[in-house]
Amino acid sequence: MDFKQAIAQSVLDAVIKAFGESSLTAPEYEALLELPPDPAMGDYAMPCFKLAKSLRKPPVAIAEALAAAIDADYLDRAEAVKGYLNFYLDRATYARNIVNAVLDANGRYGSSNIGEGKTIVIDYSSINIAKRFHIGHLSTTMLGNALYRMYKYTGYNCVGVNHLGDWGTQFGKMIAAYKRWGDKETVQNGGVDEMVKLYVRFNNEAKENPALNDEGRAWFKAIEDGDEEALSIFNWFKEVTLKDAERVYDILGVTFDSYAGESFYNDKMQPVIDELAEKGLLIEDQGAKIVDLKDYGMPPAIILRSDGATLYATRDLAAIRYRRDTYNFDKCLYVVAYQQDLHFRQLFKVAELLGWDCAKGCEHVNFGMVSYEGQSLSTREGRVVYLEDLLNTSIEKARAIIDEKSPDLENKDEIARQIGVGAVVFFDLYNNRIKDIDFHWDRALNFDGETAPYVMYTHARCASVLRKAGELTDEPDYSALSDPDAQNVIRLIEQFPELIVEALNRSEPSMITRFSVDLAQAYNKFYYENRIIDAPPAVRAARVNLTKAAKSTIAIALDLIGIAAPERM
Ligand code: ARG
């Protein structure tokens, strides 16, 4: 039962009963309904001010007339307060409806098909070849993953793209370094670390011996010209990098539908450059080709450098066009740090100037920076935290906590992995994405804080209640869920489906993260205030069903943000 819809219909009936006719329809009344800030003011409220004109009565009188005329068995009462009509649902009916909605959904409560027929491209993680996967890429990876899951859950067709940073003159230098000092086995076994060493050595030696740079340039040209040896080394660098990254993606449970990165667009830029020229957008500036964006308060977008080289932006333009033609997307989200705000504003503006309709669907989902235990991270100064190390440390720490708190737990390794990874991901997705994050171990792994371990523990507590309860034989008496603590849990659960949609509209998975904490806290309060297992059978049945509903909703919320919910901890 959809209470908003039902109330709207009851209001319509009451208006006709009290005033003879209604100028508004039921859906229009539904749109007027609000959630009062305080449940003492009712479950829903309708301001009557908008009705004053058509009913030719002051709002206060309208609210009073409607409160008297309204009659519905799912309502406990309707009260008129200062021009508002406040609706109080019958507590037992409300509880039964919400709990059953969760149980009937079989683990998919809050899912929908609002996205049916629509396609969302999500560009996320987008790591760089021959660079280590460090915590600077955590947010893009986990935000993108969460958005991907949330869009899927609401029926959209999703395309997850890892737009690899696999183009640039540095790769010429790396090949030169590899040819001089590298050897196959060392790089194969040492992975990205070995490539980075080669690159650093190259840059150091080039200071003494500038001729090396010519060698680097020559190799880069060779890649561009499709030279067989250059390409095979370059592609092998890619393979090795991706193999390293794949380990991290495995730990995180993140996957992609496409790895088409910058180099994928090598042969797809010319048509875009031609189109820019045809449409009179491309102008010459000191040998370079640019699109002037002065009128929009932005520096020009450089399309071709004076030596004819293409740029990051040129590739991104080609990527928009390719994604449009390949996926016919409704939206294309770029989950990239706010340092690239200008880049994306320029990019979308150029797409719009080209008259590409799809530009409207392009959106930069930006986010803040991550620091670590109070220290900003800087590759240049050698202060980097590798994501794989961070995750493994977290798993070890979780394991130590388990060994201490639940030494008899089965599957300790697996559960330590779920808690350790969950703690990092949750910490990353807890605040509004635009905020900078300072990662702290004692906060991420605190079992009593607003953390993954706390929410996961609450889920495991629900599971334990259900194991102890066993099979239910009695009809639940839902009036046993009339107390404020049970009602708080129910109210939160009721709001979850709309919250998912709202979180998507704002590209803000943190709303789901916070919801999981609110629900866990509400459930724990209910748990401490009420007897469950040893309550009379009909009461027990109702409280156990509420526990089932809370458990399922917590698990869904965690799953949407990419976190597991173990049955035992
Ligand atoms: N590789 C880039 C970086 O690490 C992010 C790429 C984002 N995606 C894009 N289409 N530009 O900063």
Side-chain angles (χ1 to χ4, degrees):
M1 177 175 187
D2 182 330
F3 288 114
K4 277 175 125 179
Q5 245 172 42
I7 290 173
Q9 184 59 47
S10 299
V11 169
L12 177 63
D13 295 343
V15 171
I16 292 172
K17 189 165 147 201
F19 299 96
E21 57 175 344
S22 168
S23 61
L24 299 189
T25 62
E28 288 168 326
Y29 287 118
E30 191 180 336
L32 289 178
L33 291 179
E34 298 172 355
L35 290 183
D38 173 359
M41 292 151 77
D43 298 289
Y44 300 95
M46 193 183 81
C48 297
F49 310 97
K50 286 215 177 116
L51 311 181
K53 206 167 154 208
S54 67
L55 296 176
R56 288 179 298 275
K57 282 243 161 51
V60 173
I62 295 173
E64 273 160 16
L66 293 181
I70 226 156
D71 178 33
D73 52 9
Y74 61 86
L75 281 181
D76 180 48
R77 62 190 193 283
E79 277 176 10
V81 182
K82 296 184 188 152
Y84 274 84
L85 195 52
N86 294 342
F87 303 93
Y88 297 80
L89 298 171
D90 174 65
R91 300 322 333 155
T93 311
Y94 181 48
R96 184 188 317 109
N97 266 278
I98 303 300
V99 168
N100 282 340
V102 180
L103 302 188
D104 292 346
N106 274 321
R108 289 191 54 84
Y109 175 66
S111 65
S112 62
N113 53 10
I114 52 174
E116 212 175 273
K118 297 204 185 98
T119 295
I120 311 283
V121 173
I122 308 179
D123 177 324
Y124 65 112
S125 201
S126 300
I127 53 168
N128 300 316
I129 297 305
K131 290 213 182 111
R132 278 290 296 259
F133 201 154
H134 61 83
I135 69 174
H137 276 92
L138 174 64
S139 298
T140 167
T141 306
M142 296 326 295
L143 278 168
N145 181 57
L147 292 171
Y148 187 95
R149 285 163 176 269
M150 289 156 67
Y151 272 111
K152 270 245 142 108
Y153 203 60
T154 44
Y156 289 85
N157 174 36
C158 297
V159 185
V161 183
N162 197 327
H163 185 83
L164 297 176
D166 59 1
W167 195 251
T169 49
Q170 72 272 27
F171 296 112
K173 295 182 184 174
M174 294 198 51
I175 295 181
Y178 174 72
K179 291 292 285 182
R180 276 179 169 255
W181 312 298
D183 96 282
K184 181 127 200 166
E185 218 163 303
T186 317
V187 173
Q188 191 75 50
N189 298 331
V192 173
D193 279 345
E194 287 303 322
M195 293 188 226
V196 172
K197 271 190 215 157
L198 286 172
Y199 187 60
V200 170
R201 176 164 177 192
F202 184 92
N203 284 322
N204 285 337
E205 300 211 5
K207 277 180 212 145
E208 310 295 317
N209 175 11
L212 277 180
N213 286 323
D214 297 331
E215 235 169 77
R217 265 191 290 276
W219 276 111
F220 181 62
K221 175 126 197 339
I223 308 178
E224 279 188 304
D225 295 345
D227 173 80
E228 213 171 296
E229 184 184 12
L231 274 186
S232 96
I233 300 176
F234 173 59
N235 284 331
W236 173 63
F237 284 165
K238 248 168 101 163
E239 247 169 63
V240 174
T241 310
L242 283 178
K243 206 174 109 235
D244 272 11
E246 215 53 63
R247 281 201 310 276
V248 179
Y249 290 136
D250 274 349
I251 303 178
L252 292 170
V254 172
T255 57
F256 299 92
D257 303 301
S258 159
Y259 283 89
E262 295 184 41
S263 73
F264 179 76
Y265 297 100
N266 280 346
D267 60 356
K268 298 176 181 62
M269 287 176 282
Q270 198 53 50
V272 178
I273 296 167
D274 294 344
E275 193 178 334
L276 283 166
E278 272 160 37
K279 295 189 171 158
L281 292 164
L282 207 59
I283 55 176
E284 181 117 11
D285 183 47
Q286 299 166 32
K289 296 261 191 335
I290 64 164
V291 177
D292 180 46
L293 297 174
K294 232 194 284 74
D295 289 351
Y296 311 98
M298 287 185 268
I302 304 172
I303 304 297
L304 288 171
R305 278 205 318 240
S306 52
D307 63 0
T310 56
L311 291 98
Y312 182 55
T314 325
R315 286 159 202 279
D316 256 332
L317 262 184
I320 294 185
R321 189 173 130 124
Y322 174 81
R323 291 169 185 178
R324 175 195 73 188
D325 296 345
T326 310
Y327 306 118
N328 188 20
F329 62 80
D330 294 273
K331 271 193 197 173
C332 181
L333 306 180
Y334 294 80
V335 188
V336 185
Y338 63 58
Q339 280 93 337
Q340 295 191 31
D341 279 0
L342 176 62
H343 166 73
F344 286 107
R345 282 204 295 127
Q346 292 176 309
L347 182 66
F348 302 159
K349 182 51 86 181
V350 174
E352 185 195 316
L353 292 174
L354 276 164
W356 295 355
D357 239 8
C358 66
K360 286 199 245 0
C362 292
E363 195 180 313
H364 179 201
V365 177
N366 57 1
F367 55 83
M369 299 206 293
V370 188
S371 53
Y372 179 76
E373 298 275 353
Q375 282 218 309
S376 70
L377 302 167
S378 145
T379 324
R380 218 171 300 138
E381 290 162 47
R383 278 200 314 275
V384 275
V385 177
Y386 298 130
L387 195 45
E388 191 173 11
D389 297 344
L390 184 87
L391 292 168
N392 285 331
T393 308
S394 191
I395 294 169
E396 272 164 38
K397 286 180 188 276
R399 176 63 199 243
I401 297 172
I402 294 175
D403 283 337
E404 189 200 316
K405 288 199 178 184
S406 339
D408 302 326
L409 191 69
E410 279 173 40
N411 271 332
K412 277 194 218 168
D413 284 335
E414 176 60 10
I415 292 170
R417 199 187 61 80
Q418 293 176 335
I419 298 174
V421 174
V424 171
V425 172
F426 194 98
F427 196 90
D428 189 53
L429 297 181
Y430 187 67
N431 287 308
N432 282 352
R433 59 184 154 80
I434 202 64
K435 281 199 181 161
D436 292 339
I437 302 171
D438 188 17
F439 187 85
H440 278 275
W441 285 117
D442 54 346
R443 279 188 234 145
L445 278 167
N446 183 349
F447 275 61
D448 298 317
E450 293 167 358
T451 62
Y454 172 76
V455 177
M456 291 165 108
Y457 187 79
T458 308
H459 177 267
R461 163 174 284 160
C462 293
S464 152
V465 169
L466 299 182
R467 280 194 299 274
K468 286 192 197 123
E471 280 287 311
L472 298 178
T473 46
D474 288 71
E475 252 322 287
D477 171 9
Y478 282 105
S479 67
L481 301 182
S482 300
D483 61 292
D485 296 318
Q487 290 284 316
N488 269 342
V489 176
I490 293 162
R491 192 181 317 283
L492 281 167
I493 293 177
E494 183 199 13
Q495 291 165 5
F496 185 54
E498 279 186 27
L499 184 93
I500 299 174
V501 176
E502 185 63 29
L504 276 179
N505 287 341
R506 300 194 205 171
S507 301
E508 196 62 89
S510 65
M511 292 174 73
I512 307 287
T513 319
R514 281 172 185 258
F515 170 84
S516 76
V517 173
D518 292 344
L519 182 54
Q521 286 173 343
Y523 179 80
N524 284 324
K525 178 99 192 328
F526 161 80
Y527 173 87
Y528 285 118
E529 298 293 336
N530 289 284
R531 290 182 311 157
I532 302 179
I533 303 300
D534 52 2
V539 173
R540 173 171 67 182
R543 291 185 180 152
V544 166
N545 278 353
L546 181 62
T547 302
K548 278 188 195 162
K551 173 178 185 277
S552 173
T553 307
I554 290 175
I556 294 165
L558 289 179
D559 185 60
L560 287 177
I561 53 175
I563 296 177
E567 295 289 310
R568 294 173 202 259
M569 270 171 68

